Every structure is written in C-alpha cells, then in structure tokens.
Amino acid sequence: MKPLSYPLTRPLVLAIALALQACATTEPARAPVVDLPAAFDSAPPADAPQITSAWWKGFGSPSLEGLLDEALAGSADLRIAVERMRQADIALQQAGISRLPTVNGSLGASVGRSEGPVVAGTSRESTSAGLSISYEVDLWGRIAAGVRAGEASFLATQEDWKTARLTLLTAVANNYFLWLNTAERLRIARENLAIAERVLRIVEARQRNGVATALEVSQQRTAVLSQRTALIPLELQQRQTASALALLLGRVPQGYAPAAGEFSALRVPAVAPGLPSSLLTRRPDLSAAEAQLAAADANVEAARAALLPSVSLSASGSLGTSALLSLADPTRSVSLGLSLAQAIFDGGRRRLAISTTESQRVVLIENYGNAIRSALKEVDDGLDNVQRSERQEALQREVVAQARRSLQLAELRYREGSGDLLSVLDAQRTLFSALDALATQNLARLSDQLGLYKALGGDWSRVDLRCPESPRNCKFREGFAISLNENRYNSQTDDHWRFSPCR
C-alpha cells in the first residue's frame, strides 16, 4: 500500500520548530531577593512630618534657598547629566528607527561610444530610475527588545540626573552650613580673645598696684597671643569654604563670599523615614539600578533572538530607456521578495554573546541587591546619627552654661584677691573649648540631617515621565520637559516620549 503524501508537512514542522525556538528567547524577569524589614531600627519622633519636595526649606534659611536655586541653574555637573540624557535619547531613537522600513532611490544616465577598425562606431545612451524598499520583520522580537533596552537606559540616565541633583543640593547646603559655622567659630574666638585681653588689663593693673607679679602678666599675654593665633586657621578655612561653594554654584572662586547669615538661626527639621519598602521608589540610585537591570533583561532577549533566522521583505521597481535624460516610453520592472536568512556556522559567536549578556545581568542583579541593603543601612545610620547628635548638643549646651559660670566666678575671685590667675586661665580655656565644641556639634547635627535626607532620596515626589493628561507639555519640577514626537516609536505603544530642556 502506498503511503499517504502530505506536501505541507515539512513546512509545518519547520514553522513549529521555529516557534518553539522563539519561545526560548524570553524568560521571566528575575528580581534580586532582598528581605526588607517591616520598619527601621531607629524610630524618629512620633510627630515627625513626612519629607517634602522642597526639603531644604525646613532649615529656615532664605539665603540657602537662593544658593540652591543658583546651583541648579549654574552647575556644570547637572549640564553634563543632561547631555548624557540626550545621548541616551539619541540611542533610543536609533533603536526605534530599526523598526521602520528602508527606502532607497536611484537615478542614472549614461552615454558611451565604441569604434573599431572595421566596424562603424556605435553610440549607446540610457536613462534609468529605481526605487527599492526593504523591511525586516521583527518576528522574534529582537528589534523590540533593543528598543526596550534603549528605553530602560534612558530612564537610568534620568535617575542619574536626579542623583546628581540630590548630590549637588546636599553639597551646597553642607558647604553653606560649614561657612556659617566657621563664621560662628570666628565670632567665638574673637569674643574669647576680648575676654583674654580684658583679663590682661586687670592683671596689668594689679601689677601696677603691686598685687600681681610679672609672671602672671606674662602668662596672660601668652594666653592672648594664643587666642590671636587660633583665628588664623579659622579665617583660612572660611575662605576655602567660600571657594568650594563658588565652584558648586558655577562661579569663579576669586572674590566670592556668600550672603551673611546667623548660624544659630538655622533650624534642624525632623523627618519621618517612612517604610523600608517605600525606599525602593524614593532613591534615584536604586531606580537607576532597576532601570539598568531592565535594560539587561532586554539585551539578553535580543541576544537570544539573534540565534533565530531573520525574515525580510523587499520590493523594488525601476524604469529604463535607451535615451539620454529621458524616461519617455520606458521599460518597467517590478519585483517582490521574501528572504529568510540563518547563520549556519559562526564558531559559537552569538551563543557567547548570550552568555556575556546573561553574566552582565547577574552582575546587575547582585549590584541591585547590594544597593538596596546599603540604602537600608544608610537610613538606619542616618537616624542614629541624628538622634545621637541631638543628645550630644543638649549635653554640650549644659557644659557651656557651667563653663561660663565658672569663668564668672573665677574672675570675681581674682578681682577680690581670693583667687589666682591660673584658675582664671583654666576657666577661659574651658569656656572657649566648650563654645567651640558646641558650634562644631551644631554643624554635625545639621550635616547628619542632610545625610539622612540624602539617604532617604531627598525629593520623594517622583517625576512622572509620561503625562497622558497633557502629553505635549509635561514638565519636570526643575525646568525640564517631556514632549511627544509622532515620528518615533515606543516598544509598548505607537508613541515615544522624548526628553528636551524647557526654554
């Protein structure tokens, strides 16, 4: 008996095999396993407010707000981050263009003449015009995966810009606080110098009256000179801090000095950290790591899709005549084509490319997990530092109060003749050290609060990069916009959202 013949069996089997192989190009996206705690170990005050987008206003310094606005407008680091966003946007456009057909046109004319010793010369003239269209069918999703990788990389650069912005804001605030603190320490040192000079006049008067000795006068003059010497490094630090602040603002450092302010007038605002799980969406560095991981997922998918055959469609048409620069009564030709291309042997190059992208993805997963754990530690450390510095500041204020009273009593006893000069000198040094330590502790508390803000992600209100309610006029908070370009494509929809600075 003759076996039945099925002419479509082999093509059907081939199609099923290709479809099954295509299924192997994708895998479920994996996320790093990090056990998030239910709450932070260090609890803030129960009445602490949530952080706001303009968190720096909590310090109560209009001068600081002006400096931050100037830094956002003049920082070179932010402009560099913006250009990196532009580069990622251009790369995304290039990836999206691969989904469009390629159209080529040609137009040519030629003239020639041939002669021989026997045959009469002949002339040849021709004119031709052609149009060809080619299109790669993204049957396995390789091009779409490349677009998704570009989108994720673009989002990562946006988060990098936010990280640079947060770093700039905290650096400006830290340097301004340091400048005010140095001015406060200079004021304390000058007041201490005035006290030492007043005591010196008392000692000199007592010596003239025969009560004090020359040794006591020399000791007090030494104390005065020591206080004058202590002013020099503080003045140098103040100038260097102003120069560092000028660089952050985009200014030249020569001749710059920030607006004067009272260090003691600064407030230290309390803030509630929220839940550890919400930290993942608040810190821009974590969002950038997540976007890079999404790009790695897409790169793995694109590398796997490259193993499968490519399918291309083509169409071409041409006109030709035997006349020069004329297409009258042409010869017409039209062709349509479908091509299926598959590499038979490449030495394992594409499979090694898959292994490389998979390894890179594993590295990004581990980096993302480490970044999450580090962020949790930074927040807990920040909460501990804020609470510790608050307690230390309260204790140091008591030390200052006692040191000031001790100096008053020592001076009174010395005037009355019942005390010695060494007690006065010790009380002076103790008060100066206590006041200087209090100013330093105040700065530490402000710096710890800034560190907590940075650990929490600074600006908690997120920028929605897609604004469906007003797609043609979406605005970043700090002067950037997202505009819709109909000529570009998104891997999810027919539209693509493009970054551009506001003008």
mmCIF file of all heavy atoms in Angstrom, residues 368-405:
data_model
loop_
_atom_site.group_PDB
_atom_site.id
_atom_site.type_symbol
_atom_site.label_atom_id
_atom_site.label_comp_id
_atom_site.label_asym_id
_atom_site.label_seq_id
_atom_site.Cartn_x
_atom_site.Cartn_y
_atom_site.Cartn_z
ATOM 1 N N TYR A 368 22.233 45.406 42.344
ATOM 2 C CA TYR A 368 20.963 45.974 42.783
ATOM 3 C C TYR A 368 20.655 45.534 44.214
ATOM 4 O O TYR A 368 20.227 46.345 45.052
ATOM 5 C CB TYR A 368 19.861 45.531 41.829
ATOM 6 C CG TYR A 368 18.516 46.141 42.101
ATOM 7 C CD1 TYR A 368 18.384 47.476 42.467
ATOM 8 C CD2 TYR A 368 17.355 45.377 41.983
ATOM 9 C CE1 TYR A 368 17.141 48.034 42.703
ATOM 10 C CE2 TYR A 368 16.109 45.936 42.217
ATOM 11 C CZ TYR A 368 16.010 47.254 42.572
ATOM 12 O OH TYR A 368 14.781 47.811 42.814
ATOM 13 N N GLY A 369 20.872 44.261 44.489
ATOM 14 C CA GLY A 369 20.642 43.788 45.850
ATOM 15 C C GLY A 369 21.558 44.469 46.857
ATOM 16 O O GLY A 369 21.127 44.858 47.951
ATOM 17 N N ASN A 370 22.840 44.624 46.498
ATOM 18 C CA ASN A 370 23.761 45.313 47.397
ATOM 19 C C ASN A 370 23.358 46.770 47.605
ATOM 20 O O ASN A 370 23.485 47.312 48.706
ATOM 21 C CB ASN A 370 25.185 45.242 46.833
ATOM 22 C CG ASN A 370 25.802 43.866 46.975
ATOM 23 O OD1 ASN A 370 25.410 43.091 47.852
ATOM 24 N ND2 ASN A 370 26.749 43.541 46.129
ATOM 25 N N ALA A 371 22.880 47.406 46.539
ATOM 26 C CA ALA A 371 22.461 48.805 46.664
ATOM 27 C C ALA A 371 21.267 48.937 47.607
ATOM 28 O O ALA A 371 21.188 49.888 48.394
ATOM 29 C CB ALA A 371 22.118 49.369 45.284
ATOM 30 N N ILE A 372 20.344 47.984 47.554
ATOM 31 C CA ILE A 372 19.187 48.028 48.453
ATOM 32 C C ILE A 372 19.636 47.860 49.902
ATOM 33 O O ILE A 372 19.217 48.610 50.797
ATOM 34 C CB ILE A 372 18.171 46.940 48.065
ATOM 35 C CG1 ILE A 372 17.561 47.249 46.688
ATOM 36 C CG2 ILE A 372 17.064 46.837 49.116
ATOM 37 C CD1 ILE A 372 16.646 46.156 46.179
ATOM 38 N N ARG A 373 20.493 46.885 50.136
ATOM 39 C CA ARG A 373 20.964 46.666 51.507
ATOM 40 C C ARG A 373 21.766 47.872 52.017
ATOM 41 O O ARG A 373 21.648 48.258 53.190
ATOM 42 C CB ARG A 373 21.797 45.381 51.564
ATOM 43 C CG ARG A 373 20.961 44.103 51.443
ATOM 44 C CD ARG A 373 21.820 42.868 51.615
ATOM 45 N NE ARG A 373 22.595 42.605 50.413
ATOM 46 C CZ ARG A 373 22.190 41.821 49.416
ATOM 47 N NH1 ARG A 373 20.994 41.258 49.481
ATOM 48 N NH2 ARG A 373 22.960 41.617 48.367
ATOM 49 N N SER A 374 22.590 48.449 51.146
ATOM 50 C CA SER A 374 23.351 49.627 51.565
ATOM 51 C C SER A 374 22.428 50.798 51.870
ATOM 52 O O SER A 374 22.672 51.555 52.822
ATOM 53 C CB SER A 374 24.348 50.013 50.464
ATOM 54 O OG SER A 374 25.302 48.992 50.248
ATOM 55 N N ALA A 375 21.368 50.960 51.073
ATOM 56 C CA ALA A 375 20.429 52.053 51.317
ATOM 57 C C ALA A 375 19.729 51.883 52.662
ATOM 58 O O ALA A 375 19.552 52.862 53.404
ATOM 59 C CB ALA A 375 19.402 52.114 50.184
ATOM 60 N N LEU A 376 19.338 50.659 52.989
ATOM 61 C CA LEU A 376 18.710 50.417 54.286
ATOM 62 C C LEU A 376 19.664 50.746 55.430
ATOM 63 O O LEU A 376 19.263 51.336 56.446
ATOM 64 C CB LEU A 376 18.256 48.955 54.374
ATOM 65 C CG LEU A 376 17.131 48.537 53.410
ATOM 66 C CD1 LEU A 376 16.922 47.037 53.468
ATOM 67 C CD2 LEU A 376 15.839 49.266 53.740
ATOM 68 N N LYS A 377 20.930 50.367 55.273
ATOM 69 C CA LYS A 377 21.918 50.675 56.315
ATOM 70 C C LYS A 377 22.124 52.185 56.441
ATOM 71 O O LYS A 377 22.227 52.718 57.555
ATOM 72 C CB LYS A 377 23.241 49.991 55.997
ATOM 73 C CG LYS A 377 24.337 50.274 57.021
ATOM 74 C CD LYS A 377 25.647 49.633 56.618
ATOM 75 C CE LYS A 377 26.717 49.876 57.684
ATOM 76 N NZ LYS A 377 26.975 51.311 57.896
ATOM 77 N N GLU A 378 22.195 52.884 55.318
ATOM 78 C CA GLU A 378 22.432 54.325 55.360
ATOM 79 C C GLU A 378 21.295 55.053 56.071
ATOM 80 O O GLU A 378 21.540 56.017 56.813
ATOM 81 C CB GLU A 378 22.613 54.862 53.949
ATOM 82 C CG GLU A 378 23.916 54.437 53.297
ATOM 83 C CD GLU A 378 23.993 54.825 51.846
ATOM 84 O OE1 GLU A 378 23.039 55.485 51.363
ATOM 85 O OE2 GLU A 378 24.988 54.475 51.173
ATOM 86 N N VAL A 379 20.057 54.608 55.849
ATOM 87 C CA VAL A 379 18.929 55.260 56.514
ATOM 88 C C VAL A 379 18.991 55.003 58.019
ATOM 89 O O VAL A 379 18.817 55.930 58.827
ATOM 90 C CB VAL A 379 17.596 54.773 55.928
ATOM 91 C CG1 VAL A 379 16.422 55.314 56.739
ATOM 92 C CG2 VAL A 379 17.476 55.215 54.476
ATOM 93 N N ASP A 380 19.228 53.756 58.419
ATOM 94 C CA ASP A 380 19.331 53.466 59.859
ATOM 95 C C ASP A 380 20.490 54.218 60.497
ATOM 96 O O ASP A 380 20.351 54.767 61.602
ATOM 97 C CB ASP A 380 19.497 51.953 60.076
ATOM 98 C CG ASP A 380 18.222 51.322 60.619
ATOM 99 O OD1 ASP A 380 17.468 52.022 61.317
ATOM 100 O OD2 ASP A 380 17.979 50.145 60.327
ATOM 101 N N ASP A 381 21.636 54.271 59.815
ATOM 102 C CA ASP A 381 22.771 55.032 60.344
ATOM 103 C C ASP A 381 22.428 56.516 60.439
ATOM 104 O O ASP A 381 22.804 57.195 61.405
ATOM 105 C CB ASP A 381 24.000 54.835 59.451
ATOM 106 C CG ASP A 381 24.573 53.428 59.564
ATOM 107 O OD1 ASP A 381 24.163 52.688 60.488
ATOM 108 O OD2 ASP A 381 25.415 53.059 58.719
ATOM 109 N N GLY A 382 21.717 57.031 59.431
ATOM 110 C CA GLY A 382 21.335 58.434 59.462
ATOM 111 C C GLY A 382 20.403 58.749 60.616
ATOM 112 O O GLY A 382 20.556 59.781 61.284
ATOM 113 N N LEU A 383 19.441 57.876 60.862
ATOM 114 C CA LEU A 383 18.538 58.085 62.002
ATOM 115 C C LEU A 383 19.302 58.037 63.321
ATOM 116 O O LEU A 383 19.061 58.851 64.229
ATOM 117 C CB LEU A 383 17.435 57.025 61.987
ATOM 118 C CG LEU A 383 16.411 57.128 60.842
ATOM 119 C CD1 LEU A 383 15.527 55.895 60.812
ATOM 120 C CD2 LEU A 383 15.559 58.380 60.995
ATOM 121 N N ASP A 384 20.237 57.083 63.448
ATOM 122 C CA ASP A 384 21.052 57.008 64.670
ATOM 123 C C ASP A 384 21.894 58.267 64.853
ATOM 124 O O ASP A 384 22.001 58.809 65.959
ATOM 125 C CB ASP A 384 21.957 55.776 64.621
ATOM 126 C CG ASP A 384 21.178 54.489 64.816
ATOM 127 O OD1 ASP A 384 20.080 54.542 65.411
ATOM 128 O OD2 ASP A 384 21.658 53.432 64.368
ATOM 129 N N ASN A 385 22.501 58.733 63.781
ATOM 130 C CA ASN A 385 23.365 59.924 63.873
ATOM 131 C C ASN A 385 22.567 61.157 64.273
ATOM 132 O O ASN A 385 23.045 61.984 65.065
ATOM 133 C CB ASN A 385 24.070 60.155 62.538
ATOM 134 C CG ASN A 385 25.102 59.099 62.229
ATOM 135 O OD1 ASN A 385 25.639 58.451 63.128
ATOM 136 N ND2 ASN A 385 25.387 58.901 60.952
ATOM 137 N N VAL A 386 21.354 61.291 63.707
ATOM 138 C CA VAL A 386 20.531 62.454 64.044
ATOM 139 C C VAL A 386 20.165 62.435 65.523
ATOM 140 O O VAL A 386 20.262 63.458 66.227
ATOM 141 C CB VAL A 386 19.273 62.488 63.164
ATOM 142 C CG1 VAL A 386 18.256 63.498 63.692
ATOM 143 C CG2 VAL A 386 19.647 62.840 61.727
ATOM 144 N N GLN A 387 19.757 61.284 66.026
ATOM 145 C CA GLN A 387 19.372 61.196 67.437
ATOM 146 C C GLN A 387 20.586 61.367 68.353
ATOM 147 O O GLN A 387 20.502 62.036 69.394
ATOM 148 C CB GLN A 387 18.694 59.850 67.687
ATOM 149 C CG GLN A 387 17.374 59.692 66.936
ATOM 150 C CD GLN A 387 16.789 58.304 67.090
ATOM 151 O OE1 GLN A 387 17.251 57.505 67.901
ATOM 152 N NE2 GLN A 387 15.761 57.998 66.313
ATOM 153 N N ARG A 388 21.720 60.795 67.970
ATOM 154 C CA ARG A 388 22.919 60.937 68.791
ATOM 155 C C ARG A 388 23.378 62.389 68.837
ATOM 156 O O ARG A 388 23.697 62.930 69.913
ATOM 157 C CB ARG A 388 24.040 60.063 68.238
ATOM 158 C CG ARG A 388 25.389 60.287 68.906
ATOM 159 C CD ARG A 388 26.501 59.628 68.105
ATOM 160 N NE ARG A 388 26.470 59.981 66.707
ATOM 161 C CZ ARG A 388 26.939 61.129 66.219
ATOM 162 N NH1 ARG A 388 27.462 62.033 67.040
ATOM 163 N NH2 ARG A 388 26.895 61.380 64.931
ATOM 164 N N SER A 389 23.421 63.053 67.680
ATOM 165 C CA SER A 389 23.885 64.439 67.660
ATOM 166 C C SER A 389 22.940 65.360 68.421
ATOM 167 O O SER A 389 23.378 66.343 69.038
ATOM 168 C CB SER A 389 24.036 64.917 66.213
ATOM 169 O OG SER A 389 22.797 64.853 65.522
ATOM 170 N N GLU A 390 21.646 65.043 68.429
ATOM 171 C CA GLU A 390 20.698 65.866 69.197
ATOM 172 C C GLU A 390 20.976 65.753 70.695
ATOM 173 O O GLU A 390 20.968 66.767 71.419
ATOM 174 C CB GLU A 390 19.275 65.433 68.879
ATOM 175 C CG GLU A 390 18.212 66.275 69.554
ATOM 176 C CD GLU A 390 16.808 65.854 69.174
ATOM 177 O OE1 GLU A 390 16.659 64.867 68.411
ATOM 178 O OE2 GLU A 390 15.848 66.490 69.652
ATOM 179 N N ARG A 391 21.233 64.534 71.164
ATOM 180 C CA ARG A 391 21.540 64.357 72.588
ATOM 181 C C ARG A 391 22.869 65.011 72.945
ATOM 182 O O ARG A 391 23.000 65.647 74.004
ATOM 183 C CB ARG A 391 21.562 62.871 72.929
ATOM 184 C CG ARG A 391 20.203 62.186 72.839
ATOM 185 C CD ARG A 391 20.242 60.829 73.499
ATOM 186 N NE ARG A 391 21.210 59.943 72.867
ATOM 187 C CZ ARG A 391 20.924 59.103 71.871
ATOM 188 N NH1 ARG A 391 19.684 59.055 71.386
ATOM 189 N NH2 ARG A 391 21.859 58.317 71.362
ATOM 190 N N GLN A 392 23.865 64.873 72.069
ATOM 191 C CA GLN A 392 25.157 65.484 72.346
ATOM 192 C C GLN A 392 25.056 67.007 72.390
ATOM 193 O O GLN A 392 25.704 67.655 73.230
ATOM 194 C CB GLN A 392 26.169 65.061 71.277
ATOM 195 C CG GLN A 392 26.662 63.633 71.448
ATOM 196 C CD GLN A 392 27.712 63.278 70.415
ATOM 197 O OE1 GLN A 392 27.729 63.826 69.326
ATOM 198 N NE2 GLN A 392 28.584 62.348 70.762
ATOM 199 N N GLU A 393 24.267 67.580 71.513
ATOM 200 C CA GLU A 393 24.112 69.034 71.512
ATOM 201 C C GLU A 393 23.468 69.512 72.811
ATOM 202 O O GLU A 393 23.884 70.535 73.392
ATOM 203 C CB GLU A 393 23.279 69.480 70.313
ATOM 204 C CG GLU A 393 23.084 70.981 70.232
ATOM 205 C CD GLU A 393 22.240 71.387 69.047
ATOM 206 O OE1 GLU A 393 22.191 70.637 68.041
ATOM 207 O OE2 GLU A 393 21.606 72.461 69.122
ATOM 208 N N ALA A 394 22.456 68.810 73.294
ATOM 209 C CA ALA A 394 21.812 69.206 74.545
ATOM 210 C C ALA A 394 22.789 69.145 75.713
ATOM 211 O O ALA A 394 22.834 70.055 76.557
ATOM 212 C CB ALA A 394 20.601 68.308 74.808
ATOM 213 N N LEU A 395 23.592 68.082 75.772
ATOM 214 C CA LEU A 395 24.584 67.982 76.846
ATOM 215 C C LEU A 395 25.659 69.055 76.727
ATOM 216 O O LEU A 395 26.116 69.611 77.734
ATOM 217 C CB LEU A 395 25.217 66.588 76.833
ATOM 218 C CG LEU A 395 24.290 65.423 77.206
ATOM 219 C CD1 LEU A 395 25.006 64.091 77.005
ATOM 220 C CD2 LEU A 395 23.808 65.562 78.645
ATOM 221 N N GLN A 396 26.064 69.358 75.481
ATOM 222 C CA GLN A 396 27.108 70.367 75.304
ATOM 223 C C GLN A 396 26.615 71.744 75.707
ATOM 224 O O GLN A 396 27.408 72.567 76.200
ATOM 225 C CB GLN A 396 27.579 70.375 73.842
ATOM 226 C CG GLN A 396 28.800 71.221 73.581
ATOM 227 C CD GLN A 396 30.019 70.732 74.353
ATOM 228 O OE1 GLN A 396 30.211 69.531 74.555
ATOM 229 N NE2 GLN A 396 30.847 71.673 74.796
ATOM 230 N N ARG A 397 25.345 72.029 75.532
ATOM 231 C CA ARG A 397 24.807 73.314 75.980
ATOM 232 C C ARG A 397 24.909 73.436 77.508
ATOM 233 O O ARG A 397 25.184 74.526 78.038
ATOM 234 C CB ARG A 397 23.361 73.465 75.532
ATOM 235 C CG ARG A 397 23.205 73.656 74.029
ATOM 236 C CD ARG A 397 21.764 73.953 73.637
ATOM 237 N NE ARG A 397 21.615 74.019 72.200
ATOM 238 C CZ ARG A 397 21.899 75.093 71.459
ATOM 239 N NH1 ARG A 397 22.350 76.197 72.065
ATOM 240 N NH2 ARG A 397 21.744 75.078 70.164
ATOM 241 N N GLU A 398 24.694 72.345 78.206
ATOM 242 C CA GLU A 398 24.867 72.382 79.653
ATOM 243 C C GLU A 398 26.329 72.608 80.029
ATOM 244 O O GLU A 398 26.634 73.334 80.994
ATOM 245 C CB GLU A 398 24.360 71.073 80.266
ATOM 246 C CG GLU A 398 22.864 70.849 80.083
ATOM 247 C CD GLU A 398 22.407 69.554 80.723
ATOM 248 O OE1 GLU A 398 23.236 68.913 81.406
ATOM 249 O OE2 GLU A 398 21.222 69.179 80.530
ATOM 250 N N VAL A 399 27.235 71.995 79.273
ATOM 251 C CA VAL A 399 28.663 72.210 79.532
ATOM 252 C C VAL A 399 29.018 73.677 79.353
ATOM 253 O O VAL A 399 29.764 74.267 80.157
ATOM 254 C CB VAL A 399 29.508 71.314 78.599
ATOM 255 C CG1 VAL A 399 30.992 71.671 78.714
ATOM 256 C CG2 VAL A 399 29.287 69.848 78.928
ATOM 257 N N VAL A 400 28.487 74.312 78.305
ATOM 258 C CA VAL A 400 28.772 75.726 78.057
ATOM 259 C C VAL A 400 28.234 76.587 79.197
ATOM 260 O O VAL A 400 28.912 77.523 79.671
ATOM 261 C CB VAL A 400 28.168 76.158 76.709
ATOM 262 C CG1 VAL A 400 28.204 77.680 76.557
ATOM 263 C CG2 VAL A 400 28.909 75.502 75.563
ATOM 264 N N ALA A 401 27.036 76.296 79.663
ATOM 265 C CA ALA A 401 26.459 77.082 80.753
ATOM 266 C C ALA A 401 27.310 76.983 82.014
ATOM 267 O O ALA A 401 27.576 77.999 82.695
ATOM 268 C CB ALA A 401 25.028 76.612 81.025
ATOM 269 N N GLN A 402 27.775 75.795 82.334
ATOM 270 C CA GLN A 402 28.613 75.635 83.516
ATOM 271 C C GLN A 402 29.987 76.284 83.334
ATOM 272 O O GLN A 402 30.534 76.883 84.267
ATOM 273 C CB GLN A 402 28.776 74.144 83.843
ATOM 274 C CG GLN A 402 27.490 73.462 84.267
ATOM 275 C CD GLN A 402 26.898 74.082 85.532
ATOM 276 O OE1 GLN A 402 27.613 74.487 86.450
ATOM 277 N NE2 GLN A 402 25.569 74.165 85.577
ATOM 278 N N ALA A 403 30.547 76.191 82.123
ATOM 279 C CA ALA A 403 31.853 76.797 81.876
ATOM 280 C C ALA A 403 31.767 78.319 81.961
ATOM 281 O O ALA A 403 32.692 78.973 82.490
ATOM 282 C CB ALA A 403 32.379 76.369 80.508
ATOM 283 N N ARG A 404 30.686 78.891 81.467
ATOM 284 C CA ARG A 404 30.526 80.350 81.553
ATOM 285 C C ARG A 404 30.394 80.803 83.014
ATOM 286 O O ARG A 404 30.953 81.828 83.419
ATOM 287 C CB ARG A 404 29.317 80.775 80.732
ATOM 288 C CG ARG A 404 29.116 82.292 80.694
ATOM 289 C CD ARG A 404 28.000 82.693 79.763
ATOM 290 N NE ARG A 404 28.440 82.659 78.374
ATOM 291 C CZ ARG A 404 28.004 81.807 77.458
ATOM 292 N NH1 ARG A 404 27.115 80.881 77.801
ATOM 293 N NH2 ARG A 404 28.447 81.856 76.229
ATOM 294 N N ARG A 405 29.650 80.048 83.808
ATOM 295 C CA ARG A 405 29.519 80.393 85.229
ATOM 296 C C ARG A 405 30.856 80.243 85.954
ATOM 297 O O ARG A 405 31.207 81.077 86.813
ATOM 298 C CB ARG A 405 28.463 79.496 85.871
ATOM 299 C CG ARG A 405 28.308 79.731 87.374
ATOM 300 C CD ARG A 405 27.105 79.000 87.919
ATOM 301 N NE ARG A 405 27.045 79.108 89.377
ATOM 302 C CZ ARG A 405 26.622 80.167 90.037
ATOM 303 N NH1 ARG A 405 26.237 81.251 89.361
ATOM 304 N NH2 ARG A 405 26.589 80.182 91.355
#
